[in-house]
Amino acid sequence: MVSWLEKRWYRPDPLIWLLLPLTVLFWLVSACRRLLFRLGIKRSVRVNVPVIVVGNISVGGNGKTPMVIRLCQLLKQQGFHPGVVSRGYGGKAPYYPYSVAVNSDPRVVGDEPVMMRHHLGCPLVVDPDRVRGARYLIDEHKCNIIVCDDGLQHYRLARDIEILVMDGQRRHGNGYLLPMGPLREGAWRQKTVDFVVVNGGVAKAGEHLMSLESGQLVNVKYPSQTQSISELRKPAIALAGIGNPERFFKLLDSRQVRLKQKLVFADHHPFRDGDIPDDLVLMTEKDAVKCRDFARSQWWYLPVSAKLTEQFKQQLLEKIHGI
């Protein structure tokens, strides 16, 4: 059902209007929630350090996770001690806040937090209550700046800076709210954030371009083993269980990788032994963290890192120092 919907979010299809009643209901619920915060009936809670929220207004595959990683690296270079709080989508931790380690189980904390933890040299906790998670990072880890992963609609946590990450090619799709379209909030929300970062494509006026750069292939079973993607000697199977699988396939195509098959799974798919062929397989890092317990020696993942413009970095740091 989700796959059927997603295909129609990015191309004209009159059948999407059958979902209009559900979209109206979604709009009413989200609008009432925002109104409660605006009237002070629901209150945003401010913690005693700056908070940067990185999120999106459309679902699936915008490049938010690489942005969070690069942002934390930038903050550390500037002498900050950042901490990251994430919802931990797909995970079921025994308690919250729950600290994420490099060997944490994705079934407990979610796949994206485990992936981020491999690259972050700073504390990361998962907690559906971002305020509680942020306070834990401040009290227990002495963090002096908080990065909230995917919290743009989590209005309970007051924020100093909002960064919206958008897919530069798909953008807002058909422009409708869920489930008629991919939007969590209307396109108007883009005008209220501090920064709009466009992942690929062409940045419009007032937007900042971000690109994803791929590194060397890393073996899923033996992570110490790496190889250049140009060293592949036979066609591979490409696998993706992410929000926008086509971006991964296009990245492989841009690197002249020969593919004999493309396997697409739902975003956050909980991989099990038997889901993946015992063959030369290339996958994303987000998928790899869920496959390490039963990985084959022929499975490799391709890590990517976010490249940000100097103008964006300068403006962001100026805004942080001005808080």
Side-chain angles (χ1 to χ4, degrees):
M1 182 65 172
V2 174
S3 178
W4 182 90
L5 278 178
E6 288 179 350
K7 291 178 181 178
R8 283 152 181 81
W9 287 345
Y10 301 101
R11 70 185 188 197
D13 192 325
L15 290 177
I16 210 75
W17 287 95
L18 296 174
L19 299 172
L20 179 61
L22 293 176
T23 292
V24 171
L25 179 61
F26 179 86
W27 174 79
L28 283 172
V29 171
S30 57
C32 288
R33 184 170 174 271
R34 286 192 299 269
L35 181 61
L36 290 175
F37 277 99
R38 194 175 299 120
L39 295 176
I41 299 172
K42 282 182 173 288
R43 294 185 180 277
S44 296
V45 179
R46 184 166 295 279
V47 296
N48 58 0
V49 303
V51 173
I52 303 174
V53 170
V54 179
N56 45 51
I57 59 172
S58 61
V59 298
N62 293 285
K64 169 184 56 63
T65 301
M67 175 67 195
V68 170
I69 294 171
R70 184 68 189 96
L71 175 59
C72 289
Q73 292 170 344
L74 176 63
L75 291 172
K76 288 191 67 178
Q77 291 169 3
Q78 295 297 314
F80 290 98
H81 179 40
V84 177
V85 58
S86 174
R87 168 66 180 84
Y89 182 85
K92 295 180 180 179
Y95 55 85
Y96 296 104
Y98 193 95
S99 294
V100 181
V102 292
N103 60 348
S104 289
D105 189 339
R107 293 171 295 184
V108 174
V109 300
D111 48 18
E112 289 174 347
V114 175
M115 173 185 160
M116 285 192 288
R117 192 64 187 84
H118 279 263
H119 298 276
L120 293 176
C122 65
L124 187 159
V125 299
V126 293
D127 196 332
D129 183 345
R130 266 69 158 212
V131 174
R132 180 175 58 191
R135 285 173 170 166
Y136 179 86
L137 288 167
I138 296 167
D139 295 339
E140 299 297 323
H141 294 280
K142 312 304 177 188
C143 296
N144 57 13
I145 191 166
I146 299 297
V147 177
C148 183
D149 168 48
D150 196 20
L152 207 59
Q153 289 78 36
H154 191 84
Y155 290 108
R156 184 166 175 267
L157 177 62
R159 66 289 309 268
D160 300 281
I161 298 174
E162 290 185 329
I163 301 175
L164 187 155
V165 183
M166 181 195 310
D167 185 308
Q169 296 181 330
R170 299 191 303 177
R171 288 193 169 258
H172 300 319
N174 59 17
Y176 297 131
L177 293 174
L178 290 166
M180 283 181 62
L183 297 184
R184 299 171 173 178
E185 294 184 280
W188 59 267
R189 185 70 167 89
Q190 179 179 337
K191 299 177 182 179
T192 69
V193 301
D194 298 281
F195 298 96
V196 176
V197 176
V198 177
N199 179 16
V202 178
K204 298 180 180 179
E207 299 175 348
H208 301 271
L209 187 64
M210 177 180 83
S211 58
L212 296 181
E213 298 183 334
S214 59
Q216 285 199 317
L217 290 169
V218 180
N219 193 274
V220 180
K221 186 173 184 178
Y222 305 110
S224 61
Q225 293 185 12
T226 61
Q227 69 168 322
S228 170
I229 200 167
S230 62
E231 295 175 0
L232 294 174
R233 294 292 177 255
K234 64 177 185 178
I237 296 173
L239 175 152
I242 58 177
N244 184 6
E246 196 57 36
R247 179 187 288 125
F248 179 61
F249 300 146
K250 287 181 178 179
L251 175 59
L252 295 177
D253 183 64
S254 71
R255 301 293 298 273
Q256 287 79 51
V257 176
R258 293 178 296 156
L259 298 178
K260 60 181 179 181
Q261 189 179 5
K262 297 176 182 178
L263 298 178
V264 177
F265 292 84
D267 194 12
H268 302 288
H269 177 76
F271 288 99
R272 299 288 185 269
D273 195 4
D275 283 348
I276 307 171
D278 186 7
D279 200 340
L280 176 59
V281 175
L282 306 181
M283 64 181 71
T284 70
E285 186 173 5
K286 176 178 166 179
D287 295 320
V289 300
K290 294 175 288 188
C291 302
R292 58 192 180 191
D293 292 338
F294 52 88
R296 306 293 193 269
S297 59
Q298 297 186 80
W299 298 355
W300 301 80
Y301 71 83
L302 184 64
V304 296
S305 58
K307 182 179 180 181
L308 304 170
T309 65
E310 291 301 320
Q311 181 188 43
F312 169 76
K313 289 188 282 188
Q314 180 180 349
Q315 291 182 10
L316 175 64
L317 292 173
E318 288 176 355
K319 195 165 189 67
I320 293 173
H321 290 300
I323 296 173

